[in-house]
Amino acid sequence: MALTGTDRGTGTHNTSASSFTLNPGSNFTAGALAVLCIAADNSSTGGSTNNISSVTDSLGNLWRARQLPIFDNGSASAGVQGGIFTTDQSAGTLQTGTTVTVSFGAATVAKTWTLMEVTAAARSQALVLTGANATGQPGSLAPTVTTGTIEVGDMVIAMVAMEAGTTQTLTSDADTTNGTWSAAQYNEIGSAISGSAIGSQRKVQTTTASTQTFNPTLGLPCDLICSWISVREIAPKKLALAGVG
């Protein structure tokens, strides 16, 4: 059985605060990997440092920062930062009543997020292998990031964090090269350069190991940055040898 993905909600927060909370839009499957993608103002001093400091939840799960991209175009909150965080839900299964808290190193106004589940076969586990961030793309209509080699059966999850508002639009990456991208999870808040928008998609690699290019299309130019991670299904007897998590 290949890895499968399920969308578990999106949301926004547009009040200046050093943290915000969210709830899953639907209940997770026990033992699945939860993947939270975040976009926000780059609110650190000078805007040059990603200051998404932690993700926690009311069940006590450990959330790991997998990617923390940032695009700084010269000053605080003038660019965009993002994050991909995961948890294996070892302390408890995320439900619609679970509170997830995202914390920042400084008060941040515009924030958006997407949440998905990655499920492995029975008696197997979905584990994060690797990932990377693209460079910032100022004023772009065409978010783009190219992954490393994705092996057959592995899943790539890609996101674009944008400094954009409620007039933005995003058309999903629809290519079917060695797999098919899921429809984008997308949300937006705020107005133009004072807003935030996010899009994320996933694809399971089929047929041939190769790189993947994530490139949805935007309706309006904006500052943006992309990230990706890859996930593999691993049987329990192989976990000790895998060196991944």
Side-chain angles (χ1 to χ4, degrees):
M1 174 181 170
L3 293 167
T4 59
T6 306
D7 296 342
R8 294 298 186 194
T10 73
T12 67
H13 189 272
N14 201 38
T15 302
S16 181
S18 59
S19 66
F20 74 97
T21 62
L22 62 94
N23 302 100
S26 56
N27 294 337
F28 276 72
T29 302
L33 183 74
V35 183
L36 175 64
C37 299
I38 305 160
D41 288 331
N42 59 326
S43 58
S44 64
T45 301
S48 61
T49 303
N50 189 305
N51 69 350
I52 303 175
S53 57
S54 67
V55 174
T56 58
D57 67 44
S58 55
L59 299 172
N61 285 305
L62 173 65
W63 289 81
R64 295 184 179 182
R66 301 300 186 171
Q67 299 298 324
L68 291 169
I70 186 162
F71 171 61
D72 170 30
N73 60 6
S75 61
S77 299
V80 62
Q81 63 182 339
I84 302 178
F85 287 77
T86 68
T87 180
D88 62 6
Q89 302 187 97
S90 58
T93 304
L94 301 176
Q95 306 285 295
T96 56
T98 304
T99 299
V100 179
T101 302
V102 181
S103 298
F104 297 80
T108 306
V109 179
K111 319 164 196 75
T112 50
W113 56 271
T114 69
L115 187 62
M116 71 178 74
E117 168 186 310
V118 181
T119 306
R123 296 179 295 280
S124 295
Q125 189 172 354
L127 296 178
V128 176
L129 291 178
T130 187
N133 301 314
T135 57
Q137 298 166 47
S140 178
L141 279 169
T144 301
V145 64
T146 299
T147 71
T149 298
I150 308 298
E151 299 294 332
V152 173
D154 291 353
M155 178 185 287
V156 58
I157 298 168
M159 63 159 280
V160 53
M162 295 164 276
E163 186 186 36
T166 56
T167 55
Q168 183 61 278
T169 61
L170 181 143
T171 301
S172 300
D173 186 338
D175 84 67
T176 56
T177 303
N178 290 314
T180 301
W181 287 104
S182 64
Q185 291 193 91
Y186 177 74
N187 217 323
E188 57 192 16
I189 194 68
S191 175
I193 60 172
S194 62
S196 176
I198 191 169
S200 63
Q201 294 182 251
R202 61 184 175 269
K203 177 191 276 194
V204 175
Q205 188 82 359
T206 60
T207 311
T208 304
S210 67
T211 61
Q212 287 286 344
T213 299
F214 171 65
N215 52 356
T217 304
L218 304 184
L220 295 170
C222 67
D223 291 344
L224 59 89
I225 195 163
C226 299
S227 296
W228 64 275
I229 62 171
S230 62
V231 180
R232 177 169 295 174
E233 179 179 81
I234 298 182
K237 66 181 181 180
K238 298 181 181 179
L239 293 180
L241 302 176
V244 294

